[in-house]
């Protein structure tokens, strides 16, 4: 999930298990959402996106769920692997041609 | 390969010195962005530009300046007015700001104070 403060929330999962990372977004008018993965010392990398007219989208081993009623986004990673260890950020696209707004991030740690 | 190139990867600044971080993209994107990331934290927007010769302040623009003379390039200057410049700086680009398209990121520049 998301939190305010100096330390990122951390999710630890066993290799092979499924991971669920949550995000609360702020603007009910946002119409586009993205999940990014950031490995140590690198820039964020696009994972999957979803538009507000959908509530679920699947990629390879990843699924994004959108609940507009409660302004909640989640990323599900199936069969989590050590290479999935990273910080995951959600981002929302507010209206009126403004840049993406990023969440605080969640650190995923995979236990081999 | 199309992408975003940031240089240098590591940069050191002396007290009272201005330093410039480079960001170049060959994706033909109109919009470019600069973010600051502090350890264990999220991304904070410094400046962004939607078109050549135009740019907008983000949430933490004080102590920074930018220029956008070419579509491919969006350099960021960290001025001596920025009293706490130590951070990881990320540049990104997208087709257009707010266009329901993802931003693509470079691999960052880590700036430290000597």
């Amino acid at each position: 999930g998301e939190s305010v403060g100096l330390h990122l929330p951390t999710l630890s999962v066993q290799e092979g298990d499924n991971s669920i990372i949550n995000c609360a977004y702020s603007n009910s008018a946002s119409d586009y959402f993205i999940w990014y993965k950031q490995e140590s010392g690198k820039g964020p990398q696009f994972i999957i996106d979803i538009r507000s007219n959908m509530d679920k989208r699947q990629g390879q081993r990843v699924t994004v769920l959108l609940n507009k009623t409660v302004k909640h986004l989640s990323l599900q990673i199936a069969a989590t692997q050590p290479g999935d260890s990273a910080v995951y950020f959600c981002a929302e696209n507010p209206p009126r041609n403004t840049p993406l707004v990023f969440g605080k991030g969640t650190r995923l740690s995979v236990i081999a | 390969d199309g992408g975003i190139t940031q240089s240098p990867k590591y940069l050191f600044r002396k007290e009272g010195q201005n330093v410039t971080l480079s960001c170049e993209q060959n994706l033909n994107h109109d919009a470019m962005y600069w973010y600051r990331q502090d350890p264990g934290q999220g991304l904070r927007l410094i400046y962004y530009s939607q078109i050549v010769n135009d740019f907008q302040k983000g949430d933490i623009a004080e102590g920074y300046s930018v220029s956008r003379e070419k579509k491919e390039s969006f350099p960021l200057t960290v001025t001596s007015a920025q009293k706490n410049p130590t951070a990881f700086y990320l540049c990104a680009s997208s087709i257009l700001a707010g266009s329901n398209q993802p931003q693509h990121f470079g691999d960052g520049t880590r700036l430290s104070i000597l």
Side-chain angles (χ1 to χ4, degrees):
Chain A
E2 302 287 339
S3 73
V4 176
L6 292 179
H7 301 288
L8 288 172
T10 299
L11 175 67
S12 295
V13 298
Q14 205 72 34
E15 182 179 358
D17 286 352
N18 297 337
S19 305
I20 300 176
I21 301 171
N22 296 304
C23 174
Y25 64 92
S26 58
N27 191 330
S28 56
S30 292
D31 56 3
Y32 175 65
F33 306 87
I34 308 172
W35 279 101
Y36 285 93
K37 173 186 180 182
Q38 186 179 25
E39 295 174 316
S40 182
K42 294 190 173 181
Q45 185 181 14
F46 171 87
I47 302 174
I48 192 167
D49 58 4
I50 187 167
R51 286 175 167 71
S52 59
N53 60 352
M54 303 170 70
D55 52 23
K56 180 179 179 179
R57 189 164 187 226
Q58 288 185 284
Q60 188 178 11
R61 274 200 315 118
V62 294
T63 301
V64 55
L65 298 178
L66 175 63
N67 185 332
K68 294 182 286 293
T69 303
V70 294
K71 294 190 290 185
H72 184 267
L73 197 63
S74 69
L75 177 70
Q76 300 178 1
I77 304 174
T80 312
Q81 301 168 1
D84 295 326
S85 293
V87 176
Y88 289 81
F89 292 99
C90 65
E92 62 182 296
N93 190 160
R96 290 188 294 279
N97 291 339
T98 52
L100 294 175
V101 175
F102 286 82
K104 297 278 191 292
T106 296
R107 184 179 304 282
L108 176 65
S109 178
V110 181
I111 305 162
Chain B
D1 274 358
I4 300 177
T5 302
Q6 290 188 241
S7 62
K9 192 166 179 62
Y10 300 96
L11 187 57
F12 298 92
R13 195 191 90 168
K14 294 179 183 177
E15 293 286 342
Q17 186 182 44
N18 293 351
V19 291
T20 297
L21 285 59
S22 170
C23 178
E24 303 277 330
Q25 54 99 0
N26 61 4
L27 298 167
N28 200 33
H29 285 168
D30 285 305
M32 296 186 74
Y33 313 82
W34 274 105
Y35 292 89
R36 172 182 171 136
Q37 186 175 34
D38 291 285
Q41 300 208 39
L43 282 66
R44 291 188 290 168
L45 183 65
I46 305 173
Y47 269 98
Y48 67 103
S49 166
Q50 304 211 49
I51 197 167
V52 173
N53 292 324
D54 185 55
F55 46 82
Q56 311 290 332
K57 290 183 180 180
D59 301 318
I60 55 163
E62 187 174 346
Y64 300 97
S65 67
V66 292
S67 62
R68 187 88 186 277
E69 295 176 4
K70 297 187 299 182
K71 187 176 185 177
E72 305 80 33
S73 178
F74 191 40
L76 173 74
T77 296
V78 184
T79 74
S80 56
Q82 173 49 246
K83 297 306 178 191
N84 184 22
T86 298
F88 190 49
Y89 290 87
L90 286 159
C91 179
S93 71
S94 68
I95 293 172
L96 285 171
S99 60
N100 289 357
Q101 295 289 332
Q103 292 178 5
H104 300 262
F105 285 84
D107 274 338
T109 292
R110 191 168 298 281
L111 176 62
S112 303
I113 295 232
L114 281 178

